[in-house]
Amino acid sequence: LGTTSKDPDASWGAKGHEMKVTPEGNKVTVVKHFFGYKVHALAETKHGLVTRLGVTTARVSDLDAADTLLHRHLTQKERSAIDVLTADKGYGCPVFVNELEKHTDIMTAFHLPQTMTKKGEHQDKWQAYMADEGRRAWRKERTVIERVFGDTKMNHGLKRCRYRTQMKLYLQASLSMMAHNLKRLIRTITGVRF
């Protein structure tokens, strides 16, 4: 991976896996690398409104960004108003889940990676976590935040970083999320979809 860039704030990160074909014709799974930033958001599930936003370089883990959003961007009063926090497998870390539930009284309903539920000394605890009916119902609400990102990427220009530097991407993401929120508010108030 290269080390020079025209964007001094951007960095290399990895997100998921992809299938590649070797010159010999064999299919192999490799880590998917990208250069740039990550946008992180908190959204409420009733109307799909974005309530908090953060932008990090690509090398920052999703867990660190979530911790920053929850503990540095939200006040104690705002955190106490959160009933349930849901997220995808990227946030399903035993330390993060335990810390949230013990120290903030926020119930979590994360999708956990199979490594937590299939092996290890605490697999029974995590299997019970995944089987809990209340958490299972809340995990379905994760689609709300996925729709937020889908809408902002497809309809509001957040698919690509248009400007260099992290601050300019924060501005771009903020405007995209504001456009999304305005659209959702108009739909909530008038019932008109667009």
Side-chain angles (χ1 to χ4, degrees), residues 3-23:
T3 57
T4 61
S5 163
K6 292 181 180 181
D7 188 343
D9 295 344
S11 65
W12 284 99
K15 190 83 170 174
H17 294 83
E18 62 184 342
M19 188 67 70
K20 295 277 186 174
V21 178
T22 65

Side-chain angles (χ1 to χ4, degrees), residues 86-101:
T86 184
D88 60 21
K89 292 177 188 173
Y91 300 91
C93 167
V95 173
F96 188 60
V97 171
N98 286 329
E99 285 294 313
L100 281 173
E101 294 201 349

Side-chain angles (χ1 to χ4, degrees), residues 43 45-47 71 75 79 90 106 113 120 122 134 169 177:
T45 56
K46 185 175 181 183
H47 300 103
H71 293 100
T75 64
R79 271 195 305 278
I106 298 174
H122 300 291
L169 176 60
M177 298 295 180

Side-chain angles (χ1 to χ4, degrees), residues 5 10 32 53 126 129 142 160 172 176 179 183 185:
S5 163
K32 187 176 184 178
L53 173 70
W126 299 118
Y129 177 95
R142 179 178 66 93
R160 295 263 182 215
Q172 177 188 346
S176 295
K183 205 164 77 171
L185 285 170

Side-chain angles (χ1 to χ4, degrees), residues 61-73 79 91 96 99-100:
S61 77
D62 291 345
L63 287 172
D64 290 338
D67 187 59
T68 299
L69 277 176
L70 289 169
H71 293 100
R72 294 189 193 148
H73 292 238
R79 271 195 305 278
Y91 300 91
F96 188 60
E99 285 294 313
L100 281 173

